[in-house]
């Protein structure tokens, strides 16, 4: 098997199953396998950021899959589009499906000034499909049909369906908020899909806040802000995911506020998501916060055990349809997987992916004990194991020979501040608590203090061996 199209098509299916649909759709699907002028195979990513992510997180595995399928023993390199110029395409593959190279490259071919905004225009989800959808950043599996309803998300799901139906008299804007990994992005994707299905002629624009920021900055650098504004303000429905990331960017917030105001005045539909309610976004400018909170705020809460089991079953069905697994998992295996993966739905899906990749056609024969061995580090602790903020505080205090009350105090000396930051970092890693909630449990601190502490430890761990050892030792203690 030497045809690059066929090789990449098969390798992509396996890679998607291993790394998950979210990372695959964000970093791999918008890329294309091409030949450079020397005849070498290269994966061309749309941005340098995507190139760096692939090199760090997926390139080794991609080459393992490629070498296992390619009789010519060729290896893949990865470069961003700006680096490759006019290299002839070998294939252009999105989400594991081979498509013709010319239209794939045309999706990125716009005038020099507006090239970064092309994905926004592509959010016009045309009836014929997947090319425009994936260029827009949407994921084809995130629909209402694949969303699992539970006690914590039923209200948000009902509102999402109402928005997608273009019903008159709905609240505007609609703002979904809640912890990472519990379905906000899924709901926004589902709204976009359904809204476009019901009104194919409408312009539906879906953007992550990161895409909004990078495209706006690039438009300012290229002096193409007028085209950028038009691409957004001509939308019939705008969906912006993870809006908290515009915090602290003054000019970007001003542009978002202007866009929001213009769309509302024209009666257009607007949907946002964030990890907190609008008025808790203290790093966002007050006028913008006020507009974000002016419509309807819908919490998306953490799922209970029954919902998580349903999500795990749903994920296995999807992997079965892709041919990754065969058969059904033992209910006790799924129950153990859920009980020992107490984090977000994304973490749960990651554990399911690991099980599926390891079990394959033997899924129905895998026992509880064998599943525990197969999953290894993907499982946390024992059955019903839940790590609490209080437990983390006590463990950290004991580790550093201090009192738990010191972590909650106003003391800011390094001897107290650093352990406090480590405790905050561990809370974010091992619980589903939001930044504001963690702050409240550390003496009523602001969520920005928690965010700073978490990022500080993330920054120091690769540089400071002692902090890395402390975090590792504390993690072992917490996991028993």
């Amino acid at each position: 098997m030497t045809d690059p199209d066929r090789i990449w098509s098969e390798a992509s299916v396996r890679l998607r199953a291993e790394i998950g649909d979210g990372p695959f759709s964000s970093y791999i699907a918008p890329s294309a396998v091409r030949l450079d002028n020397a005849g070498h195979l290269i994966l061309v990513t749309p941005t340098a950021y995507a190139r760096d992510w692939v090199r760090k997180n997926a390139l080794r595995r991609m080459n393992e899959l490629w070498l296992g399928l390619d009789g010519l023993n060729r290896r893949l390199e990865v470069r961003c589009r700006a680096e490759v110029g006019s290299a002839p395409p070998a294939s252009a593959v999105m989400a594991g499906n081979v498509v013709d190279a010319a239209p794939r490259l045309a999706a990125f071919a716009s005038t020099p000034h507006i090239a970064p905004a092309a994905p926004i225009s592509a959010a016009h989800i045309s009836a014929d499909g997947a090319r425009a959808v994936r260029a827009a950043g949407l994921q084809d599996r995130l629909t209402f049909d694949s969303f699992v309803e539970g006690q914590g998300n039923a209200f948000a799901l009902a509102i999402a369906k109402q928005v997608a139906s273009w019903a008159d008299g709905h609240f505007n804007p609609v703002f979904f908020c809640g912890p990472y990994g519990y379905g906000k992005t899924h709901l926004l994707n589902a709204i976009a899909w359904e809204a476009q299905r019901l009104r194919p002629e409408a312009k539906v624009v879906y953007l992550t806040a990161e895409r909004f920021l990078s495209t706006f900055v690039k438009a300012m650098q290229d002096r193409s802000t007028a085209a950028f504004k038009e691409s957004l303000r001509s939308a019939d429905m705008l969906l912006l995911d993870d809006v908290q990331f515009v915090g602290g960017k003054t000019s970007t917030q001003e542009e978002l506020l202007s866009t929001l105001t213009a769309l509302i005045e024209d009666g257009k539909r607007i949907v946002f998501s964030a990890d907190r309610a609008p008025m808790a976004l203290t790093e966002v400018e007050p006028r913008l916060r006020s507009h974000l909170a002016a419509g309807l705020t819908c919490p998306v809460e953490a799922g209970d055990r029954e919902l998580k089991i349903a999500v795990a079953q749903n994920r296995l069905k999807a992997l079965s349809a892709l041919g990754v697994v065969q058969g059904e998992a033992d209910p006790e295996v799924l129950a153990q997987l859920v009980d020992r993966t107490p984090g977000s739905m994304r973490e749960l899906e990651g554990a399911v992916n690991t099980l599926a990749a390891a079990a394959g056609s033997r899924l129905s024969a895998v026992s509880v004990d064998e599943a525990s061995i197969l999953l290894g580090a993907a499982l946390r602790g024992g059955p019903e194991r839940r790590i609490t903020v209080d437990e983390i505080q006590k463990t950290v205090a004991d580790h550093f020979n201090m009192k738990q009350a010191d972590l909650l105090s106003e003391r800011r000396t390094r001897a107290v501040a650093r352990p406090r930051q480590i405790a905050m970092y561990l809370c974010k890693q091992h619980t589903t608590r939001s930044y504001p909630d963690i702050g409240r449990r550390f003496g009523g601190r602001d969520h920005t203090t928690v965010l700073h502490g978490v990022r500080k430890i993330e920054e120091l761990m690769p540089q400071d061996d002692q902090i890395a050892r402390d975090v590792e030792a504390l993690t072992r203690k917490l996991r028993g």
Side-chain angles (χ1 to χ4, degrees):
M1 184 179 190
T2 60
D3 178 62
D5 289 350
R6 296 170 59 204
I7 295 172
W8 183 237
S9 180
E10 184 171 345
S12 293
V13 172
R14 299 186 189 180
L15 189 63
R16 179 203 281 264
E18 293 180 18
I19 70 174
D21 281 311
F24 186 93
S25 296
S26 297
Y27 300 104
I28 309 298
S31 306
V33 176
R34 299 168 67 184
L35 291 169
D36 67 9
N37 294 327
H40 298 136
L41 284 168
I42 51 175
L43 181 75
V44 182
T45 63
T47 65
Y49 180 83
R51 175 202 64 197
D52 295 342
W53 186 94
V54 171
R55 283 176 177 169
K56 180 180 179 181
N57 298 282
L59 185 57
R60 175 185 289 184
R61 182 55 179 156
M62 287 165 61
N63 270 306
E64 289 175 354
L65 292 170
W66 190 278
L67 290 171
L69 296 167
D70 186 5
L72 299 180
N73 291 321
R74 295 173 291 185
R75 298 184 67 86
L76 277 173
E77 300 176 23
V78 59
R79 300 178 200 164
C80 67
R81 193 168 67 251
E83 295 173 319
V84 300
S86 57
S91 64
V93 182
M94 284 186 271
N97 296 318
V98 181
V99 299
D100 182 72
R104 177 69 188 101
L105 296 177
F108 294 107
S110 184
T111 64
H113 293 305
I114 195 60
I120 299 177
S121 299
H124 253 114
I125 311 171
S126 58
D128 65 334
R131 292 178 188 170
V133 167
R134 292 186 177 113
L138 291 170
Q139 300 176 47
D140 53 3
R141 78 180 185 91
L142 300 183
T143 65
F144 286 128
D145 288 340
S146 63
F147 191 87
V148 182
E149 183 176 356
Q151 186 174 356
N153 62 31
F155 175 65
L157 177 60
I159 295 299
K161 289 182 176 179
Q162 180 182 347
V163 174
S165 71
W166 301 95
D168 292 334
H170 81 300
F171 298 96
N172 202 29
V174 172
F175 195 104
F176 295 100
C177 60
Y180 286 108
Y182 284 99
K184 300 187 301 298
T185 295
H186 194 145
L187 286 175
L188 265 64
N189 274 250
I191 291 170
W193 282 112
E194 182 68 4
Q196 195 70 74
R197 185 187 70 82
L198 293 174
R199 285 182 53 183
E201 78 287 355
K203 182 177 180 181
V204 177
V205 175
Y206 168 87
L207 283 172
T208 62
E210 179 186 24
R211 176 67 64 85
F212 179 89
L213 283 166
S214 62
T215 308
F216 177 59
V217 169
K218 184 63 175 174
M220 288 195 298
Q221 293 172 345
D222 294 342
R223 299 182 180 179
S224 59
T225 53
F228 173 81
K229 292 178 181 180
E230 174 59 24
S231 68
L232 291 181
R233 298 182 191 185
S234 61
D236 296 296
M237 179 181 290
L238 172 65
L239 305 101
L240 189 62
D241 205 359
D242 284 330
V243 73
Q244 71 271 8
F245 290 123
V246 304
K249 285 82 173 178
T250 303
S251 59
T252 306
Q253 291 185 62
E254 290 175 355
E255 176 57 32
L256 179 57
L257 178 58
S258 298
T259 298
L260 177 59
T261 303
L263 289 173
I264 289 178
E265 288 177 352
D266 289 342
K268 305 301 178 64
R269 314 302 173 96
I270 307 169
V271 185
F272 294 104
S273 80
D275 61 350
R276 285 156 278 151
M279 297 312 293
L281 299 173
T282 53
E283 68 274 30
V284 172
E285 192 266 338
R287 286 189 306 152
L288 178 56
R289 279 208 313 269
S290 178
H291 277 74
L292 295 175
L296 175 66
T297 300
C298 296
V300 182
E301 299 175 357
D304 57 18
R305 187 171 185 267
E306 182 179 351
L307 176 61
K308 288 188 173 184
I309 289 176
V311 168
Q313 292 172 331
N314 198 54
R315 180 61 183 154
L316 282 174
K317 287 180 182 177
L319 292 172
S320 178
L322 290 170
V324 178
V325 295
Q326 297 177 19
E328 297 183 359
D330 186 319
E332 292 186 9
V333 169
L334 284 185
Q336 176 192 238
L337 186 149
V338 167
D339 290 339
R340 297 178 64 185
T341 312
S344 71
M345 295 298 186
R346 289 199 185 107
E347 292 180 43
L348 176 60
E349 287 198 345
V352 174
N353 290 341
T354 302
L355 175 64
S361 61
R362 297 185 55 257
L363 180 63
S364 57
V366 173
S367 66
V368 172
D369 290 340
E370 186 178 1
S372 182
I373 296 172
L374 288 175
L375 287 162
L379 295 181
R380 295 177 176 178
E384 302 295 346
R385 173 67 168 154
R386 296 292 186 272
I387 300 173
T388 66
V389 173
D390 183 67
E391 182 182 358
I392 290 172
Q393 291 175 342
K394 289 178 179 176
T395 304
V396 170
D398 181 66
H399 180 82
F400 288 101
N401 296 314
M402 56 194 301
K403 297 178 181 179
Q404 185 177 354
D406 292 332
L407 298 176
L408 280 61
S409 72
E410 294 296 322
R411 294 173 59 191
R412 297 182 180 181
T413 61
R414 178 178 290 270
V416 175
R418 191 68 79 218
R420 183 187 294 130
Q421 290 175 331
I422 290 174
M424 290 174 174
Y425 169 82
L426 292 169
C427 286
K428 197 58 187 170
Q429 292 295 310
H430 299 289
T431 77
T432 59
R433 301 293 180 183
S434 65
Y435 287 116
D437 196 8
I438 294 172
R440 285 191 292 270
R441 293 163 184 263
F442 277 81
R445 284 176 164 79
D446 187 85
H447 81 278
T448 55
T449 302
V450 181
L451 179 60
H452 170 74
V454 171
R455 289 180 175 173
K456 188 64 177 179
I457 298 305
E458 290 174 342
E459 175 188 330
L460 289 175
M461 283 175 63
Q463 307 169 9
D464 191 317
D465 289 341
Q466 184 57 55
I467 288 180
R469 286 194 295 270
D470 286 334
V471 171
E472 182 181 358
L474 286 162
T475 299
R476 285 199 304 269
K477 290 179 182 179
L478 290 168
R479 290 180 175 176

